[in-house]
Amino acid sequence: MAKEIIIPDIGDFDSVEVIEVLVEAGDTVAAEDSLISVESDKATMEIPAPEAGVVTEVKVAVGDQVSQGSLILLLEPSDAAPAAAPVTQEATPTPVVSKPAASAPRSVTQPPQHRFSPTAKIDEVSFSRAHASPSVRKFARELGVDLGRVSGSGRKGRVIKDDVKAFVKQALTQGTGGGGLAVAPMPEIDFSQWGDVETQKLSKINKLTGKFLHRNWVTIPHVTQFDQADITDLDALRKSMAAEYKDKGIKITMLAFLIKAVVSGLRELPRFNASLDASGESLILKNYFNIGIAVDTPDGLVVPVVHDADGKSLVDIAAELGEISQKARDKKLKPADMRGGCMTISSLGGIGGTQFTPIVNAPEVAILGVSRHQMTPVWNGKTFEPRLMLPLSLSYDHRVVDGADGARFTRFMGRVLADATGLVK
Ligand code: CAO
């Protein structure tokens, strides 16, 4: 006969949220195995099975609010004689509450009892700070995964079991498990021994982009192709359009031309408008054209996206750019404004520099870096001519794009930027 398993005494909490359901119907559980994780403002707890058995029905889902006495699931105790139990047996209305000593909810703050992972070095500080339930912590320890390095996909960035599995899978498929990236940990250094120092907290954006940049830097085989585009005529056109649109409050910038040129490049070489699927075995080719723009803000780097740039005129894009870079600096960008990019442009031309090696903004496969244009003597076959040259630095994922296509892309950009009238419509 199936028993009703309910939430036992969980202390002072009236109502807590189910953040993980760790079993499903048909699962066999041992006494003390975790069934669900719940979270209050202060703590995360796992509710263990009061006895061994087979789960016949789960009665809660992630996001449900539960309190002491709430029904979690129906459990067929393993000592029940299966032959004698009718298949349609109704659950007994008697709640089975966990025995306090044996199956009290376990707090996430319990220190780890065992140390697994002889090969990978676990940073105990970041491990203990990771937002994860005890069973996920245990699972991570068993696999030698440093939880602090796993990005959480659960609510509020919580690391769930699938995140740990994905981390291990990625490490194995990319050969980072035991060898390649098993780098020595950075030593903790007291810099004040050499002089006055000040500690500044990283902004939320710094921390988030840092994580993604690090992942992209170590997991994507980058190649950067350098080139130059002759933008002498484009600059003249831009200046005349800028004068025309100034009164309308629209700043016609080089970036608007670059977005149009990148859209043409993606049409010409569709492998640049793609992403590897999660298995790394197929390429997903996109038939839409969303271009991300790296924007430098006082809090760090953000990448808003100009969606469906292929259907917008150069002036529309210039107007949109004004709005999104302002929104970025005013911290008003919404998550949807930063999603769905096909390729990113990082323009440092307004600041300076001759070339750089931008990091691909995964799951995109390429990023175009742009540096400061320079009037340069260019040999035309007879004389040197002064031409305004724009340095391009195209980084791409070499698993998807080969070197020949990398050079074809920047050459193509060179051609469309040299004759920019086609980009205006
Ligand atoms: N060469 C020379 N000058 C350039 C130029 C280039 N390639 N691109 C822009 N400029 C000049 C413009 O002509 C303009 O000059 P005026 O003020 O005299 O008109 C000035 O630089 C500012 O340019 P802009 O208003 O057109 O802005 P922008 O397109 O250069 O930049 C934006 C917009 C949002 C990209 C920029 O503000 C920004 O945040 N850049 C940094 C991006 C970044 O951090 N990338 C790094 C990511 S990887 O770590």
Side-chain angles (χ1 to χ4, degrees):
M1 182 182 289
K3 286 184 175 176
E4 291 189 335
I5 307 299
I6 60 167
I7 301 277
D9 178 4
I10 48 173
D12 292 341
F13 306 112
D14 282 347
S15 169
V16 288
E17 187 178 338
V18 177
I19 54 162
E20 250 177 301
V21 177
L22 303 162
V23 290
E24 55 187 324
D27 283 357
T28 301
V29 294
E32 291 302 302
D33 277 359
S34 296
L35 302 174
I36 60 170
S37 301
V38 294
E39 186 177 65
S40 71
D41 293 347
K42 299 192 189 75
T44 301
M45 289 165 276
E46 287 195 353
I47 308 297
E51 59 187 294
V54 176
V55 176
T56 55
E57 195 179 345
V58 177
K59 297 285 196 183
V60 288
V62 170
D64 286 358
Q65 294 289 327
V66 291
S67 40
Q68 183 177 348
S70 301
L71 179 60
I72 307 172
L73 52 79
L74 303 181
L75 184 80
E76 184 91 42
S78 48
D79 55 5
V87 179
T88 54
Q89 179 80 43
E90 295 255 317
T92 162
T94 319
V96 176
V97 184
S98 318
K99 282 174 257 154
S103 36
R106 291 184 279 259
S107 157
V108 77
T109 49
Q110 279 178 359
Q113 300 296 311
H114 304 288
R115 282 186 164 245
F116 298 90
S117 157
T119 49
K121 172 98 177 109
I122 289 181
D123 175 342
E124 291 300 337
V125 177
S126 72
F127 193 102
S128 66
R129 283 187 191 147
H131 194 29
S133 64
S135 64
V136 170
R137 289 171 182 281
K138 181 167 176 273
F139 184 58
R141 278 205 185 273
E142 283 169 357
L143 297 177
V145 169
D146 188 349
L147 264 190
R149 292 176 53 209
V150 181
S151 304
S153 65
R155 281 197 59 214
K156 300 180 194 160
R158 158 176 301 282
V159 179
I160 59 174
K161 208 168 179 179
D162 282 347
D163 296 328
V164 178
K165 285 185 194 163
F167 183 87
V168 172
K169 196 171 163 201
Q170 192 184 33
L172 289 175
T173 51
Q174 287 162 1
T176 59
L181 286 182
V183 293
M186 196 62 83
E188 247 181 69
I189 297 172
D190 174 12
F191 295 97
S192 67
Q193 62 186 300
W194 296 295
D196 190 30
V197 292
E198 172 193 336
T199 302
Q200 216 172 56
K201 283 258 176 256
L202 287 178
S203 71
K204 226 170 160 182
I205 294 179
N206 284 156
K207 282 194 270 191
L208 210 61
T209 47
K211 240 181 179 177
F212 291 139
L213 288 169
H214 185 198
R215 179 198 62 194
N216 298 349
W217 179 248
V218 297
T219 61
I220 297 174
H222 280 74
V223 176
T224 305
Q225 171 68 53
F226 300 113
D227 208 334
Q228 289 193 321
D230 183 337
I231 55 157
T232 317
D233 297 342
L234 182 154
D235 198 50
L237 174 65
R238 185 188 71 79
K239 282 181 176 143
S240 76
M241 287 183 72
E244 189 186 335
Y245 283 91
K246 195 172 174 201
D247 292 345
K248 297 186 178 124
I250 299 175
K251 190 170 179 195
I252 306 290
T253 65
M254 170 104 73
L255 206 47
F257 285 91
L258 288 166
I259 289 174
K260 294 292 282 184
V262 165
V263 169
S264 304
L266 295 180
R267 282 194 194 285
E268 179 74 12
L269 292 155
R271 265 179 103 84
F272 281 81
N273 196 5
S275 289
L276 280 169
D277 75 353
S279 71
E281 302 206 345
S282 308
L283 205 55
I284 297 158
L285 293 153
K286 299 160 197 169
N287 291 321
Y288 53 87
F289 299 87
N290 300 337
I291 310 299
I293 303 299
V295 178
D296 175 39
T297 76
D299 289 323
L301 179 70
V302 289
V303 185
V305 173
V306 176
H307 291 95
D308 301 315
D310 55 319
K312 293 174 180 165
S313 71
L314 184 114
V315 176
D316 289 340
I317 290 176
E320 190 171 332
L321 275 177
E323 286 161 23
I324 57 175
S325 41
Q326 194 52 49
K327 253 178 155 181
R329 293 192 175 108
D330 294 345
K331 298 189 201 173
K332 295 222 169 105
L333 287 174
K334 301 204 171 77
D337 296 330
M338 293 181 275
R339 289 203 185 121
C342 301
M343 183 167 159
T344 296
I345 301 175
S346 175
S347 174
L348 295 174
I351 301 166
T354 53
Q355 289 164 331
F356 64 110
T357 53
I359 298 176
V360 171
N361 186 16
E364 299 167 19
V365 296
I367 177 166
L368 181 70
V370 181
S371 299
R372 194 169 194 76
H373 59 56
Q374 209 164 13
M375 197 54 87
T376 310
V378 176
W379 184 249
N380 66 11
K382 289 186 188 133
T383 56
F384 281 103
E385 257 189 275
R387 305 295 296 178
L388 192 61
M389 303 302 286
L390 181 72
L392 306 174
S393 309
L394 174 78
S395 291
Y396 55 85
D397 183 338
H398 208 355
R399 293 171 299 181
V400 178
V401 174
D402 60 27
D405 275 347
R408 282 188 193 109
F409 194 93
T410 55
R411 272 300 72 220
F412 182 82
M413 293 294 290
R415 282 202 296 283
V416 291
L417 292 170
D419 182 12
T421 45
L423 299 174
V424 174
K425 58 184 184 317

